[in-house]
Amino acid sequence: MPKLVDHEARRRELAQAVWRVVQRDGVERASVRAVAAESGWSAGALRHYFPTQDALLHFAMDLAAEKFTERARAADEHGRLPQDHSAPWRVRNLMRTLLPLDAESKVSAEVWMAFVSRARVDPVLRAAGRKGDEEVAYWLLDRLREARAEGILRPGADPEREALRLLALTDGLVLHGLIAPEAMTPELMSQLLDDHIRELFPGSDLST
């Protein structure tokens, strides 16, 4: 029998090679030829799946957004603690998935920021970036609305506005964590996020 080929698995393998090239050399260097060398494929074989650099980058960013969504969903589910008032923990877990707190998340953040920079002039990449942002915003809004209904959100806080503030805070922490890691350490990023969550949920205990 002819050998069955998992084409989707091969496309994902190539997308991961794109991420490695982007992290090491930048988006502009992620050409078909460079990704072929990184993946161990021939340029001709790679073009069977992605005929142009744009097609390759678009798929790689779509997959990055998908993987981020999976991590965010897992963090949100993990935050469903049996104790009362779990909203602060769920929000904290979700937002920590965005921060470069260890080697793996630092790579993800570097690749994502590189794609976002390219997205300023590429409408397809821009749409993929918005998709990831909107997923997080919707989840945050749900959590914050639940917290307001339970009476544990800061009095007078507007869930939609607070969701945007949380996203802006984490975006800033990611940027500073990448460009000045010696000053914006993982410990400081975590502390600043926790400080904000304690203000948002007065009386919340994040010590354990």
Side-chain angles (χ1 to χ4, degrees), residues 171-184 189:
D171 283 348
L173 292 176
V174 170
L175 180 60
H176 286 281
L178 293 179
I179 65 175
E182 67 288 347
M184 187 59 72
M189 282 187 276

Side-chain angles (χ1 to χ4, degrees), residues 42-54:
S42 70
L46 191 151
R47 285 193 177 92
H48 174 74
Y49 291 93
F50 302 105
T52 65
Q53 181 189 35
D54 282 345

